[in-house]
């Protein structure tokens, strides 16, 4: 490593930090005032970049290159802010009163829709923007050449930070933002129109994100994967910096970006005879930064402890074991599923579809253990599905282990991952928990994507076929059914055991649970580990069912599928996620394979569900059933 | 001679927290310039009544008018602009903002037809001289009593015609209660209409003309303050005198 | 005087520039009902939260004294550890586990007190059932055992919370505003119940309270805080007539006594 490359990477890190900060700052301000974690925030960044690469050449033709470039950036930021305002008025306004989880889902649906809209307008290919006129050269510093545009970007972060600080402390709008961050109702009671304030704040936040994206025009091409990758990074920054703190966000962005830059600068290092390619470890570095900060300061560098989530909805009814009729129904359903191989003679597709449903059922049920009795909505359950799948696939192909043993290895991998990540996650609650779980899932996804030697990179692993007797559709299906049944029985026992009671107690009132001597974090940690373990089993079965595993199968979309299954079916009982898993699998099988825009379709389904049942789908149904 | 339009006229007010109904056909009136007490134990519906009036929870009423104008379907900020000042139970001061910044957010010109004192900053500092000394202090670093004064001042600079005070004596030292009593007496003399919810009957007796007792979300009894206060100086006002 | 259950010595706590507690010391004996009062911002909550472990003092100690031992320093232990050492607790806004029946709530508290939380297989339904029913009986909640806690009236929630606080067989009970939000009749019943429990179980109770009727009508001893300092510690009569207390807290307002209930 040379001094030049270190300096180069340091400036590069500062430039990246500015981009990260612009996204995280908007996310933080919007959350402060509206209490909504905008899952679509990365999408506005992506839109800003797409708009800039489109508008800059267009403007360039009429007003000249330089004016076109900078005008394009400004126009992209403004258009993004306008779209943000539109989204706030059309969508968010309807869901401010909905439970937190539904707000997260609704904005995630927005992410799916925006992504497909970008696919529709700009196509799947990466689009490169023009270089910055006047800033495409380099400057000499201490005898080294540094790119001018990176230096310009490095300055943007602090400039926006100071600008926002002046707006927040020196203007009436800023005072309103700070007041509303603390107490929206009281702001309204003073005669201030919240609706206008919210729209303005959302436009500001999305506009800053759009600006951040547009400014990247001269550095990276616009592509459709940006929304999620930026979102994951922004979550890490916000969690590390502390929600609601702008300087925390800047410092965290700096920390994350510089550590990554340092890893890249170090390149290949030899320690004690072992060579590490540090530039491949950037994601692990990101994780380590987050881990260290969260261990020392659980609420982030400048964060304050947040009040517990306000809107959990009504208390659930006490759980009761199944009566004789319920048992009969459960047995009948089981008998039906066990009998499906009999149909395979005239409907050969039956066991294949049923296998998908059974795997989805185990996946959804394991998430339900965390979400229902645990009250912890994980937005990154795909991580454990992925660890299970990759663990199994590696064991079966690379190590050539027999099928049952490979599955056990997969489950153990997921279990280890859940134990490790869970230790951090259970320190947080509510949206913070959701954000951190999503960030971890992004890290697992990136490792699968980047660690080509082991995971096969973007292509994934192939030829993961089970040995006899599991090599037939029926054989694998029956084995999966048995594993899933065992998982469901375990979850059912857990829920009624003292452990399940304690998990529910911690959900109902953490304060009371701790005052009673329940070690809330340990209970949640175990629940997290168990949920991850069972989810790993689903992932392992998935790898055998498809014969392959690729990063796409373990992306955030998988996590969201799980949430949709649990919520569509109902979070209050184990039956809900099972119905949801069956329903969504059928839907995906029948409808979504037919369309290139299945993401938008799923997004619209989620939005419809959230808007039609703003108090929660299960709650809505329960109220209807009530006399 | 026509009867004057009441400042606040509520008839048959129902209100809900989520799915749970908490007010059941509550009716009361506040005449212009009158101070009315709302007494009852915690959970009886006093705070809920105030929140329903200002539109913070979902509500429905046969009649809900402020100086004759229907406010039953209006959003909170419009109701506030029509002339209702709200001093909530837990004060709800913006703790990151200084005293001046808190007051600045509350400032609002007098609604048309409001002829009582124009509450400038000087006027509220004259009413609560102690606040003037604290003008640059963040709300979060003030004592409970100081926050209570700021909450009243913040409502006053909005130039309301009717002031809702939710338990102004709750959780503050008796010495602050005395100061608050004096301030409210002055406000009433200035022509402001007051609706005060209280558990402390002595406090109400010093300020209010009439009282309503509330139980389980409905008015249980109403009459002159004197009739309620008769029960004895430390008698908690939980029901009708009897 | 018998050996105290809890000894608080020289507690100090600052928040930024504010001295929330300044060298506060007191002790509480078995069977004693000790009221902690003072104006808002006097340091009551800070003191209370240090004793129950939610806050850590800047200096000073909290000692829990067992039978015949010199005492265990519990300063800064986590709330759940303090709970397991025999300190029960109720909150100003009573909180119970809304999704469980009253009986399950108490069973949960008993299971936690016995360290059986990590039972993963055997159903909890039959664990500690009789003991839970006994506790509900003692707090007058037996008839409500099967009802979901979320559907209980607030007064009953307070009683249920008390039953749960007793599940760990505490030697000391910390009650934050035990009668807040209750009617006059309920207040009296509640405090009479607590009084009886202190006698029967030799339980010490430290409570904060805004209702002077309750404090001066029922407490054995009163500790008064003002601006972070302890300004009085003595019998109801002594505190009531203390000029310093009248000055900072009671103002000119007359206070009811034991016989004015």
């Amino acid at each position: 490593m040379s001094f030049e490359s270190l300096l180069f990477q340091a400036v590069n890190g500062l430039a990246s930090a500015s981009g990260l900060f612009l996204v995280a700052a908007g996310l933080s301000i919007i959350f402060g005032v509206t209490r909504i974690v905008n899952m679509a925030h990365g999408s506005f960044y992506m839109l800003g970049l797409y708009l800039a690469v489109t508008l800059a050449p267009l403007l360039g033709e009429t007003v000249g290159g330089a004016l076109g470039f900078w005008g394009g950036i400004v126009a992209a930021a403004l258009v993004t802010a306008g779209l943000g305002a539109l989204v706030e008025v059309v969508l968010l306004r309807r869901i401010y009163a909905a439970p937190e989880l539904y707000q997260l889902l609704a904005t995630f649906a927005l992410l799916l829709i925006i992504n497909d809209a970008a696919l529709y307008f700009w196509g799947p290919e990466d689009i490169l923007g023009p270089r910055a006129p006047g800033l495409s050269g380099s400057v000499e510093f201490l005898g080294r050449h540094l790119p001018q545009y990176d230096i310009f970007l490095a300055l943007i972060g602090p400039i926006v930070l100071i600008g926002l600080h002046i707006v927040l402390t020196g203007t009436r709008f800023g005072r309103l933002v700070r007041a509303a961050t603390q107490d929206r109702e009281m702001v309204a009671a003073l005669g201030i129109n919240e609706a206008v304030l919210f729209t303005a704040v959302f436009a500001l936040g999305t506009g800053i994100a759009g600006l951040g994206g547009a400014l990247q025009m001269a550095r990276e091409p616009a592509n459709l994967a940006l929304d999620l990758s930026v979102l994951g990074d922004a979550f890490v920054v916000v969690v590390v910096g502390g929600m609601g703190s702008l300087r925390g966000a800047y410092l965290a962005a700096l920390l994350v970006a510089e550590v990554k830059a340092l890893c890249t600068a170090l390149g290949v290092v030899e320690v004690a005879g072992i060579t590490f390619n540090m530039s491949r470890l950037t994601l692990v570095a990101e994780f380590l930064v987050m881990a260290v900060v969260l261990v020392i300061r659980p609420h982030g560098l400048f964060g304050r402890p947040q009040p517990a989530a306000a809107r959990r909805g009504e208390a659930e009814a006490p759980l009761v074991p199944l009566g004789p009729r319920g048992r009969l129904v459960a047995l009948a359903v089981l008998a039906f599923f066990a009998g499906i191989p009999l149909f395979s003679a005239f409907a050969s597709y039956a066991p294949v579809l049923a296998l998908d449903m059974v795997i989805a059922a185990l996946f959804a049920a394991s998430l339900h253990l965390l979400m229902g009795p645990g009250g912890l909505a994980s937005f990154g359950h795909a991580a454990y599905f992925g660890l299970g799948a990759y663990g199994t696939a590696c064991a079966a192909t690379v190590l050539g282990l027999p099928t049952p043993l490979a599955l056990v290895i997969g489950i153990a991998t997921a279990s280890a991952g859940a134990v490790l990540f869970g230790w951090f996650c259970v320190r947080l609650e509510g949206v913070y928990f959701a954000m951190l779980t999503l960030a971890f899932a992004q890290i697992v996804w990136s490792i699968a994507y980047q660690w080509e030697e082991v995971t096969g990179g973007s292509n994934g692993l192939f030829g993961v076929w089970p040995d006899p007797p599991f090599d037939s559709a029926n054989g694998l299906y029956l084995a999966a059914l048995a594993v899933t049944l065992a998982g469901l029985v375990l979850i059912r026992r857990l829920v009624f055991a003292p452990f399940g009671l304690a998990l529910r107690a911690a959900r109902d009132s953490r304060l009371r649970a701790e005052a009673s001597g329940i070690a809330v974090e340990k209970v949640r940690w175990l629940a997290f580990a168990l949920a991850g373990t069972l989810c790993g089993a689903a992932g392992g079965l998935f790898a055998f069912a498809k014969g392959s595993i690729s990063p796409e199968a373990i992306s955030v979309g998988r996590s969201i599928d799980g949430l949709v299954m649990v919520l569509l079916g109902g979070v209050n009982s184990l039956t809900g996620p099972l119905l949801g898993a069956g329903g969504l699998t059928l839907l995906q099988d029948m409808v979504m394979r037919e369309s290139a825009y299945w993401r938008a379709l799923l997004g619209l389904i989620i939005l419809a569900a959230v808007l039609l049942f703003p108090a929660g789908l299960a709650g809505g149904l329960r109220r209807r059933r009530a006399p | 001679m026509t009867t004057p339009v009441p400042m606040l006229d509520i008839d048959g007010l129902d209100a809900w927290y989520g799915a749970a109904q908490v007010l059941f056909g509550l009716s009361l009136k506040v005449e212009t310039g009158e101070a009315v007490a709302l007494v009852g134990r915690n959970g009886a519906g006093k705070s809920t009544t105030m929140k329903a009036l200002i539109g913070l929870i979902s509500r429905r009423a046969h009649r809900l008018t402020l100086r004759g104008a229907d406010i039953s379907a209006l959003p909170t900020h419009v109701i506030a602009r029509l002339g209702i000042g709200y001093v909530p139970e837990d004060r709800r001061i913006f703790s990151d903002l200084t005293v001046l910044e808190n007051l600045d957010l509350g400032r609002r010109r007098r609604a048309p037809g409001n002829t009582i004192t124009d509450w400038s900053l000087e006027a509220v500092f004259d009413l609560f001289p102690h606040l003037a000394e604290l003008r640059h202090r963040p709300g979060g670093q003030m004592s409970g009593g100081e926050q209570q004064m700021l909450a009243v001042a913040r409502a006053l600079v909005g130039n309301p015609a009717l002031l809702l005070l939710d338990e102004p004596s709750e959780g503050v030292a008796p010495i602050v209660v005395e100061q608050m009593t004096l301030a409210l007496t002055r406000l009433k003399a200035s022509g402001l209409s007051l609706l005060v919810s209280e558990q402390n009957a002595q406090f109400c007796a010093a300020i209010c003309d009439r009282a309503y007792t509330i139980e389980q979300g409905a008015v249980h009894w109403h009459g002159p303050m004197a009739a309620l206060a008769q029960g004895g100086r430390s008698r908690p006002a939980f029901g009708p005198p009897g | 005087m018998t050996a105290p259950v809890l000894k608080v010595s020289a507690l100090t706590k600052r928040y930024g520039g504010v001295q929330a507690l300044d060298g506060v010391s007191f002790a509480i004996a078995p069977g004693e009902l000790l009221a902690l009062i003072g104006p808002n911002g006097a340091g009551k909550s800070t003191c209370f939260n240090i004793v129950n472990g939610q806050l850590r003092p800047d200096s000073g100690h909290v000692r829990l004294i067992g039978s015949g031992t010199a005492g265990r320093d519990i300063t800064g232990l986590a709330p759940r550890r303090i709970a397991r050492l025999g300190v029960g607790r109720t909150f100003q806004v009573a909180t119970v586990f809304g999704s469980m029946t009253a009986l399950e709530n108490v069973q949960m508290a008993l299971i936690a007190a016995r360290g059986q939380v990590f039972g993963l297989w055997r159903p909890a339904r039959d664990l500690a059932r009789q003991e839970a029913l006994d506790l509900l009986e003692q707090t007058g909640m037996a008839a409500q055992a099967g009802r979901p806690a979320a559907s209980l009236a607030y007064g009953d929630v307070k009683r249920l919370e008390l039953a749960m606080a007793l599940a760990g067989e505490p030697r000391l009970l910390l009650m934050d505003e035990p009668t807040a939000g209750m009617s006059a009749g309920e207040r009296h019943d509640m405090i009479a119940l607590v009084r009886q429990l202190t006698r029967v179980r030799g339980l010490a109770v430290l409570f904060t309270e805004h209702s002077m009727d309750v404090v001066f009508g029922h407490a054995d001893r009163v500790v008064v805080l003002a601006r972070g300092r302890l300004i009085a510690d003595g019998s109801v009569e002594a505190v009531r007539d203390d000029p310093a207390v009248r000055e900072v807290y009671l103002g000119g307002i007359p206070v009811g006594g034991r016989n004015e209930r």
Side-chain angles (χ1 to χ4, degrees):
Chain A
M1 169 194 58
S2 68
F3 175 73
E4 177 156 7
S5 81
L6 194 64
L7 187 67
F8 178 86
Q9 287 300 338
V11 173
N12 191 32
L14 277 171
S16 307
S18 288
L20 275 180
F21 168 68
L22 292 188
V23 182
L27 190 70
S28 202
I29 292 176
I30 290 174
F31 175 75
V33 174
T34 66
R35 292 286 135 181
I36 285 185
V37 172
N38 179 20
M39 303 286 280
H41 208 67
S43 310
F44 288 99
Y45 174 95
M46 183 181 78
L47 277 182
L49 182 48
Y50 268 111
L51 285 166
V53 298
T54 312
L55 292 175
L58 266 177
L59 282 172
E61 281 169 24
T62 52
V63 295
L67 214 56
F69 181 86
W70 300 109
I73 287 179
V74 173
L78 290 177
V79 172
T80 313
L83 285 172
L86 187 71
V87 162
E88 198 277 340
V89 172
V90 173
L91 173 65
L92 297 188
R93 226 168 247 196
R94 291 165 213 281
I95 58 166
Y96 286 129
E100 205 164 66
L101 192 56
Y102 288 78
Q103 299 174 340
L104 292 174
L105 266 180
T107 54
F108 189 84
L110 198 60
L111 177 147
L112 295 174
I113 293 167
I114 291 176
N115 194 284
D116 268 359
L119 174 67
Y120 179 80
F121 286 116
W122 286 287
E125 302 300 324
D126 290 7
I127 303 177
L128 259 172
R131 310 208 52 179
L135 287 180
S136 51
S138 58
V139 276
E140 217 176 276
F141 179 71
L142 298 177
R144 321 280 162 180
H145 291 279
L146 299 171
Q148 282 175 331
Y149 196 73
D150 277 12
I151 294 175
F152 163 74
L153 276 187
L155 293 174
I156 283 285
I159 290 171
V160 171
L161 176 63
I162 293 165
L164 282 175
H165 182 77
I166 291 170
V167 168
L168 286 178
T169 54
T171 66
R172 183 173 160 86
F173 171 72
R175 283 194 284 279
L176 278 174
V177 168
R178 281 155 64 214
T181 298
Q182 190 190 341
D183 190 340
R184 297 189 302 204
E185 283 188 353
M186 200 57 226
V187 165
L190 293 178
I192 292 147
N193 190 350
E194 278 184 302
V196 175
L197 177 67
F198 280 24
T199 310
V201 164
F202 204 77
L204 175 70
T206 50
I208 299 173
L211 177 68
L215 283 169
Q216 297 298 315
M217 167 163 56
R219 291 179 92 216
E220 60 176 325
N223 68 78
L224 291 170
L226 274 177
D227 51 357
L228 276 172
S229 67
V230 165
L231 184 70
D233 280 346
F235 280 179
V236 171
V237 165
V238 166
V239 167
V240 168
M243 200 70 166
S245 164
L246 289 180
R247 56 192 173 131
Y250 185 68
L251 204 66
L254 206 60
L255 201 61
V256 169
E258 287 299 341
V259 167
K260 278 188 175 185
L262 185 67
C263 283
T264 314
L266 287 174
V268 180
V269 202
E270 215 179 277
V271 180
I274 309 165
T275 39
F276 291 98
N277 186 347
M278 293 298 284
S279 56
R280 286 283 180 77
L281 292 179
T282 52
L283 283 156
V284 179
E286 188 173 337
F287 165 68
L288 284 178
V289 169
M290 183 160 73
V292 169
V293 170
L294 285 180
V295 169
I296 301 167
R297 295 188 66 91
H299 302 286
L301 293 172
F302 289 95
R304 301 180 200 168
Q306 292 288 327
R311 292 181 298 270
R312 261 210 56 83
E314 299 158 56
E316 285 179 17
L319 284 181
V320 281
L322 283 182
R325 226 180 102 211
R327 278 174 203 218
L328 215 60
V329 171
L331 277 177
V333 171
L334 179 62
F336 172 77
F337 272 90
I340 278 184
L342 301 176
F343 301 111
S344 62
F346 46 93
S348 61
Y349 191 54
V352 178
L353 181 60
L355 177 59
D356 281 353
M357 288 171 97
V358 161
I359 291 171
L362 182 56
F363 176 57
S366 70
L367 179 60
H368 172 259
L369 175 64
L370 216 47
M371 279 177 73
L376 298 164
S378 166
F379 272 65
H381 212 48
Y384 314 101
F385 191 83
L387 288 171
Y390 272 100
T392 304
C394 278
T397 56
V398 181
L399 304 179
L401 293 177
T403 299
L405 197 57
L407 185 62
V408 168
I409 297 281
I411 292 172
T413 311
S415 194
V419 166
L420 176 65
F421 296 154
W423 191 85
F424 295 99
C425 292
V426 298
R427 274 142 209 276
L428 304 175
E429 289 183 315
V431 291
Y432 298 89
F433 179 86
M435 281 166 40
L436 194 58
T437 47
L438 190 137
F440 278 129
Q442 275 304 93
I443 287 171
V444 169
W445 179 85
S446 306
I447 290 173
Y449 199 85
Q450 290 188 350
W451 199 12
E452 275 177 40
E453 297 85 336
V454 177
T455 62
S458 59
N459 296 322
L461 296 170
F462 290 93
V464 194
W465 299 117
D467 316 325
F470 309 111
D471 57 343
S472 69
N474 283 338
L476 186 63
Y477 167 68
L478 287 175
L481 184 63
V483 172
T484 298
L485 185 66
L488 294 181
V489 169
L490 176 65
I491 291 175
R492 193 79 187 154
R493 293 292 301 208
L494 282 174
V495 167
F496 286 100
F499 171 72
L501 219 56
L503 193 58
R504 284 186 274 150
R507 173 197 66 190
D508 288 356
S509 167
R510 181 177 186 145
L511 205 59
R512 181 75 252 166
E514 268 167 3
S516 300
I518 298 174
V520 169
E521 281 179 8
K522 274 190 200 157
V523 168
R524 286 182 174 169
W525 190 22
L526 180 59
F528 197 102
L530 287 169
T533 305
L534 291 169
C535 180
L541 292 171
F542 178 86
F544 281 128
K546 304 294 166 195
S548 68
I549 183 70
S550 69
E552 197 182 336
I554 69 160
S555 67
V556 184
R558 172 82 48 191
S559 300
I560 301 302
D561 279 356
L563 285 169
V564 173
M565 289 171 194
V566 172
L567 291 172
L568 283 182
V571 77
N572 291 347
S573 79
L574 191 51
T575 330
L578 299 184
L579 287 175
L584 193 70
T585 308
L586 274 178
L587 196 67
Q588 280 175 334
D589 189 72
M590 295 190 309
V591 184
M592 292 179 179
R593 295 226 169 116
E594 307 298 317
S595 165
Y597 298 102
W598 62 270
R599 276 178 299 258
L601 194 62
L602 178 62
L604 288 172
I605 291 173
I606 297 175
L607 278 189
V610 170
L611 291 176
L612 289 176
F613 302 96
L617 197 54
L621 290 177
R622 189 150 30 98
R623 211 155 304 142
R624 249 171 225 200
R625 246 185 280 131
Chain B
M1 185 187 137
T2 55
T3 42
V5 181
M7 175 57 66
L8 178 72
D9 189 356
I10 309 175
D11 183 34
L13 175 65
D14 296 338
W16 290 264
Y17 277 121
Q21 188 169 355
V22 279
L23 291 185
F24 300 86
L26 182 134
S27 303
L28 67 82
K29 249 183 212 174
V30 179
E31 301 295 344
T32 303
E34 197 185 21
V36 171
L38 213 53
V39 290
R41 65 185 172 95
N42 266 9
K46 301 188 303 291
S47 298
T48 312
T49 305
M50 301 215 164
K51 284 183 184 162
L53 285 181
I54 191 88
L56 290 179
I57 56 173
S58 54
R59 77 270 195 222
R60 192 176 62 199
H62 294 310
R63 187 169 60 244
L64 180 53
T65 60
L66 182 73
R67 285 182 294 188
D70 182 13
I71 58 168
S72 62
L74 297 178
T76 301
H77 69 278
V78 178
I79 296 175
R81 288 174 185 187
L82 286 175
I84 295 189
Y86 175 49
V87 181
E89 188 179 9
D90 34 8
R91 305 180 274 271
R92 297 171 82 162
I93 293 302
F94 303 118
S95 54
D96 289 344
L97 274 60
T98 64
V99 168
L100 278 183
E101 288 177 327
N102 266 284
L103 291 175
D104 176 59
L105 289 188
R107 291 196 73 169
R108 194 156 289 285
R109 264 186 307 248
R110 279 189 288 185
N114 182 352
T115 52
I116 50 175
T117 328
D118 194 359
W119 286 96
S120 62
L121 276 184
E122 293 71 39
V124 293
F125 285 151
D126 180 54
L127 185 69
F128 297 117
H130 188 48
L131 281 185
E133 298 163 25
L134 304 172
R135 60 180 78 201
H136 295 297
R137 179 167 299 183
Q141 291 177 22
M142 299 167 79
S143 75
E146 290 162 354
Q147 287 190 346
Q148 188 67 58
M149 291 175 199
L150 178 55
V152 175
R154 185 179 60 182
L156 284 177
V157 292
N159 281 306
L162 168 69
L163 196 57
L164 307 180
L165 292 143
D166 198 355
E167 307 233 5
S169 80
E170 161 88 10
V172 296
I175 231 160
V176 179
V177 175
E178 279 178 37
Q179 294 170 10
M180 197 53 73
T181 312
L182 288 176
L184 296 188
T185 314
R186 273 179 67 183
L187 291 182
K188 184 173 176 255
S190 79
L192 193 62
S193 312
L194 303 175
L195 181 61
V196 188
S197 91
E198 261 305 329
Q199 298 196 69
N200 181 339
Q202 293 165 325
F203 181 76
C204 295
I207 304 159
C208 297
D209 308 307
R210 288 191 304 122
Y212 289 81
T213 65
I214 296 194
E215 239 171 63
Q216 293 175 356
V219 169
H220 187 246
W221 175 88
H222 67 103
M225 194 66 223
L228 184 75
Q230 266 169 10
R233 49 155 209 240
S234 68
R235 179 198 146 80
F238 289 130
Chain C
M1 185 180 159
T2 49
V5 176
L6 180 85
K7 240 182 120 158
V8 169
S9 38
L11 287 185
T12 304
K13 177 88 187 170
R14 289 183 78 87
Y15 296 108
V18 184
Q19 185 84 40
L21 276 188
D22 189 1
V24 169
S25 308
F26 59 88
I28 174 168
E32 194 176 30
L33 205 57
L34 175 62
L36 179 65
I37 66 169
N40 263 23
K44 274 179 319 204
S45 317
T46 306
C47 185
F48 209 73
N49 286 333
I50 288 175
V51 173
N52 70 43
Q54 281 183 316
L55 282 177
R56 189 185 281 273
D58 296 338
S59 64
H61 293 277
V62 183
R63 277 200 174 77
L64 197 61
I65 293 148
S67 44
T69 60
R72 170 158 184 185
D73 192 340
I74 59 165
T75 325
L77 283 188
R80 65 180 172 83
R81 295 203 184 277
I82 293 180
R84 296 285 295 278
L85 289 171
V87 178
R89 153 124 228 232
T90 66
F91 297 94
Q92 183 180 353
V93 178
T95 46
V96 295
F97 308 131
S99 72
M100 303 179 193
T101 64
L103 178 63
E104 284 173 325
N105 266 278
V106 184
Q107 280 180 292
M108 179 74 253
L110 286 161
I111 288 169
R114 293 170 186 184
Q116 297 173 334
V117 158
F118 287 93
L120 301 181
W121 193 254
R122 230 182 97 204
R125 205 179 331 137
D126 303 320
L127 286 176
R129 192 182 177 89
Q130 194 50 50
E131 295 88 327
L133 286 169
D134 288 348
L135 278 170
L136 287 172
E137 183 74 50
Q138 285 175 40
T139 48
M141 287 290 295
Q144 320 269 16
R147 282 186 59 185
S151 72
L152 293 174
Y154 189 64
D156 288 342
V157 172
K158 282 245 171 196
R159 282 168 183 274
L160 176 57
E161 194 192 32
L162 178 60
M164 293 164 74
L166 293 173
E169 304 204 350
R171 285 173 291 147
L172 172 67
L173 196 56
L174 302 172
M175 304 186 84
D176 200 356
E177 308 230 2
T179 70
M182 299 174 109
S183 71
E186 285 172 336
R187 281 178 193 225
H188 178 72
D189 292 349
M190 182 72 180
I191 210 77
L193 174 63
V194 173
R195 175 84 268 178
Q196 183 210 341
L197 289 167
T198 58
R199 293 217 178 94
V200 175
R201 297 176 166 239
L203 179 68
V205 176
L206 173 65
F207 71 107
T208 65
E209 186 58 62
H210 266 119
S211 163
M212 292 302 116
D213 284 359
V214 169
V215 171
F216 290 97
H218 296 277
D220 292 319
R221 201 153 62 85
V222 182
V223 168
V224 188
L225 294 182
R227 290 177 187 263
R229 287 167 185 273
L230 189 145
I231 60 163
D233 177 354
S235 69
V236 167
E237 291 75 19
V239 166
R240 189 168 46 198
D241 299 332
D242 189 320
V245 175
R246 301 196 77 88
E247 166 73 25
V248 303
Y249 187 42
L250 303 169
I253 292 178
V255 172
R258 257 179 217 285
N259 42 14
E260 215 182 292
R261 178 77 250 159

